[in-house]
Amino acid sequence: MGIINKDGKRQVRKSLLDLVFSNKDVTVKVHDRLTSDHKMILVKSNIKTVTIERSKVSRRNWKKYSPEKLMEHFNQQEPTLEPRPGSDLLNETLVIKINDSLDQICPYRVLRTSRQTDLLDHALEAMKKKRKRLRKSYNLSRNDVIASKIEHLNRRIKVRISDVKKQQIRTRLDGDNPKSFWKFVSDLEGSEKLEDIELDVNGTIVNNDDDLCEIFADHFSNKVNMLSNSYVPNSFSKPKDITPLTFSLQEISSAASTLKSKLCSGENGLPMKVIRDLGVSFPELFLELFNSAATSGMPAAWKTAIVTPLHKKGDKKSASQYRPISNLCSLSKLFEKIILLRLNALGELDGRFQHGFKSNRSTTTAMLEIQDFVSDELDRNNTVGMYSIDLTAAFDLLRPDCFYDIMKDKIDSNILCVLMDFLSGRNFKVKMGTAQSRPKDLMIGCVTGINSRSQAIYIVHITNTLSPT
């Protein structure tokens, strides 16, 4: 905040921008302002729209969607599958019935895009299709009435494009997160479009998706084996006298309400928005499946991660410059949220000094705590030393048997067994476009990605392994 004087009156102005950092081709001008003690900074950047090959994009039409309509169609579905033990049959049956119901009320529509920045709007697409039909009619008849309709439709399309772009800008720039702003600028420039990956393997350029998937899968698997010295964890046997873990409808509903309402989906094709809506409104839909998963083990589909290589920095033709991002089954994310709520109810297992992956904690709170500690010690005329370390592939190297030995006296045995089931028997496949690699077993580690239970397991493990003294 800055306090200034204007016409003898004291006013308070908020400082919105003090420093400008950019790795883009921008021009910066500083303007002196007589009404403020801060200088206005004007940043200009040339936005270049990148044209790519015209393609088709399939999107569901969500106009008629509602959880109630989905449940109405769901109750009419009766797929017949061969019975199998455990929770696999329940999971597959549920996925098929929900997808079939979605296909009835939210069918896929094909939208054509010619640029990365094209707007995927159903109303706009409908008007363009109508204009195309009118143009065909006009070419045959040369009717003035049709020509006037085309002209009127052109004006409506321009207005719709303007409105959608404004709404898109408001949505993308909503909030105080600078990353959203620069991500939006990058999208406009086309710099964030997915490029074809090429790898240099022993002097040979590889750009075939099938071969790339296998190369990335081998690289990610070999990296973990090398860092862990090919460590093989001890096998885990579930105690026979354990009390089965069961869930309530309230737990499922509460956990579902914390999920983000996104349209992204995992390998099963179920968007998180649908899982969230059904979990909040109809939690009984998942009760039998989740209780079975906690008792007899998670479905095999929940233990397979679909990995996408994401470039970090450096040479884009080197596989070592990519990191794996895992996409998990959407149903398993709701199950994980429930387990996470159970863990949180047991107390602060992750320790008071842990600031990562915790609610209301961040790097800012970590720095404030360090600053307070250092200031107190300096006030006492003490010398303060601090060092920091960076753990390579930290999530990938978590050892399930070590985790069990550390936590067996700190977590209820039924919850711990579910966590051990989550860590064991996992595998991953690298997917690029329509191609995917062969499955690779994961003997150790948590799933690398945006995954709440993996984060919770890791910070609980590391906090109880290296407790501060």
Side-chain angles (χ1 to χ4, degrees):
M1 305 292 287
I3 300 178
I4 64 172
N5 291 319
K6 181 182 179 183
D7 300 331
K9 297 181 180 179
R10 298 180 65 82
Q11 294 186 355
V12 178
R13 289 181 177 272
K14 185 178 181 181
S15 175
L16 296 179
L17 184 64
D18 290 321
L19 299 173
V20 176
F21 298 93
S22 175
N23 59 357
K24 302 182 181 300
D25 183 17
V26 299
T27 58
V28 180
K29 293 183 179 180
V30 180
H31 295 266
D32 292 329
R33 303 181 66 185
L34 299 177
T35 58
S36 173
D37 62 345
H38 285 71
K39 296 180 179 180
M40 184 176 70
I41 300 175
L42 179 63
V43 182
K44 290 185 178 181
S45 176
N46 295 324
I47 304 299
K48 298 179 181 179
T49 301
V50 178
T51 302
I52 60 176
E53 183 180 353
R54 187 173 179 84
S55 59
K56 296 180 180 179
V57 180
S58 296
R59 292 287 187 272
R60 286 194 182 275
N61 186 1
W62 296 94
K63 183 180 294 185
K64 297 181 180 180
Y65 167 79
S66 71
E68 292 73 21
K69 286 185 178 179
L70 184 62
M71 279 301 298
E72 180 181 347
H73 287 275
F74 178 87
N75 292 328
Q76 299 173 1
Q77 301 291 333
E78 295 182 357
T80 55
L81 296 173
E82 295 182 3
R84 289 186 299 278
S87 55
D88 291 275
L89 176 62
L90 291 172
N91 176 69
E92 190 171 348
T93 302
L94 190 61
V95 169
I96 290 176
K97 293 179 70 175
I98 295 178
N99 273 321
D100 288 345
S101 302
L102 280 175
D103 290 339
Q104 293 187 34
I105 62 175
C106 305
Y108 280 99
R109 294 185 59 182
V110 176
L111 302 180
R112 297 178 182 272
T113 62
S114 59
R115 294 179 302 175
Q116 184 72 11
T117 55
D118 274 358
L119 303 172
L120 298 180
D121 179 73
H122 290 293
L124 181 60
E125 189 72 14
M127 286 190 285
K128 287 181 178 180
K129 288 181 179 180
K130 183 177 180 180
R131 182 178 62 180
K132 185 177 181 180
R133 292 193 299 268
L134 288 175
R135 283 176 174 173
K136 288 183 178 179
S137 299
Y138 177 75
N139 291 334
L140 295 175
S141 64
R142 297 293 176 179
N143 191 309
D144 293 338
V145 176
I146 297 178
S148 63
K149 289 182 179 180
I150 294 175
E151 185 177 352
H152 175 68
L153 199 55
N154 284 335
R155 290 195 294 268
R156 287 183 58 195
I157 289 175
K158 288 182 179 180
V159 172
R160 181 65 183 179
I161 290 176
S162 177
D163 292 342
V164 174
K165 283 186 175 180
K166 289 178 182 178
Q167 182 60 40
Q168 185 186 61
I169 292 174
R170 294 191 191 100
T171 303
R172 298 288 296 276
L173 301 184
D174 186 25
D176 299 325
N177 187 357
K179 290 184 179 180
S180 300
F181 171 78
W182 290 112
K183 176 67 168 60
F184 179 69
V185 173
S186 297
D187 288 346
L188 289 177
E189 291 179 331
S191 59
E192 291 297 319
K193 71 184 182 70
L194 294 177
E195 299 178 353
D196 293 334
I197 297 178
E198 291 185 346
L199 295 181
D200 186 349
V201 182
N202 298 326
T204 303
I205 299 299
V206 179
N207 53 20
N208 180 272
D209 285 348
D210 292 304
D211 296 334
L212 289 172
C213 287
E214 295 296 339
I215 292 172
F216 277 118
D218 290 337
H219 169 71
F220 296 143
S221 180
N222 293 337
K223 179 181 177 181
V224 173
N225 292 334
M226 179 188 66
L227 293 173
S228 65
N229 295 321
S230 300
Y231 177 82
V232 178
N234 298 324
S235 59
F236 170 74
S237 298
K238 186 176 180 180
K240 296 181 179 180
D241 57 346
I242 187 175
T243 304
L245 186 65
T246 57
F247 306 105
S248 65
L249 296 178
Q250 181 61 38
E251 279 185 300
I252 298 176
S253 180
S254 299
S257 64
T258 64
L259 295 176
K260 294 182 179 179
S261 186
K262 292 184 176 181
L263 295 180
C264 60
S265 59
E267 190 72 0
N268 59 13
L270 298 181
M272 291 304 303
K273 173 183 174 62
V274 174
I275 301 299
R276 183 186 189 278
D277 292 345
L278 293 178
V280 171
S281 303
F282 306 97
E284 64 277 5
L285 197 63
F286 307 110
L287 185 61
E288 183 181 3
L289 171 62
F290 289 170
N291 284 335
S292 176
T295 304
S296 60
M298 295 170 55
W302 292 10
K303 295 190 175 187
T304 299
I306 305 300
V307 170
T308 301
L310 181 65
H311 181 254
K312 298 181 292 185
K313 58 182 179 180
D315 186 7
K316 291 187 176 181
K317 293 184 178 181
S318 174
S320 61
Q321 298 301 321
Y322 290 79
R323 63 186 177 95
I325 296 298
S326 299
N327 190 12
L328 304 177
C329 173
S330 51
L331 274 173
S332 71
K333 294 180 181 180
L334 177 55
F335 183 72
E336 292 163 14
K337 281 287 185 181
I338 302 173
I339 300 299
L340 185 60
L341 292 178
R342 288 285 185 101
L343 281 176
N344 293 337
L346 297 177
E348 201 171 54
L349 294 171
D350 47 22
R352 183 177 67 83
F353 297 96
Q354 179 61 244
H355 291 262
F357 310 117
K358 292 182 64 175
S359 178
N360 300 321
R361 297 287 186 93
S362 65
T363 53
T364 302
T365 58
M367 290 303 300
L368 288 174
E369 186 164 328
I370 292 174
Q371 184 179 18
D372 287 342
F373 175 79
V374 172
S375 299
D376 290 342
E377 294 302 317
L378 292 179
D379 289 340
R380 298 186 180 96
N381 295 323
N382 293 330
T383 301
V384 180
M386 183 179 73
Y387 70 91
S388 60
I389 59 175
D390 183 17
L391 302 178
T392 301
F395 277 69
D396 298 328
L397 298 179
L398 186 144
R399 300 179 177 183
D401 50 351
C402 295
F403 175 79
Y404 179 80
D405 292 338
I406 294 171
M407 304 307 301
K408 61 184 178 182
D409 296 326
K410 300 180 180 181
I411 299 180
D412 293 343
S413 57
N414 50 8
I415 298 180
L416 184 56
C417 286
V418 174
L419 295 179
M420 293 301 297
D421 179 47
F422 172 76
L423 292 173
S424 60
R426 302 199 68 92
N427 61 75
F428 75 92
K429 295 184 290 186
V430 176
K431 185 175 182 179
M432 298 176 63
T434 57
Q436 64 181 20
S437 69
R438 291 168 294 180
K440 294 285 186 179
D441 292 332
L442 292 170
M443 302 299 294
I444 62 174
C446 291
V447 180
T448 304
I450 310 302
N451 178 261
S452 58
R453 194 177 355 165
S454 291
Q455 296 164 356
I457 290 176
Y458 176 75
I459 62 177
V460 167
H461 172 69
I462 200 68
T463 300
N464 288 273
T465 303
L466 302 173
S467 300
T469 57

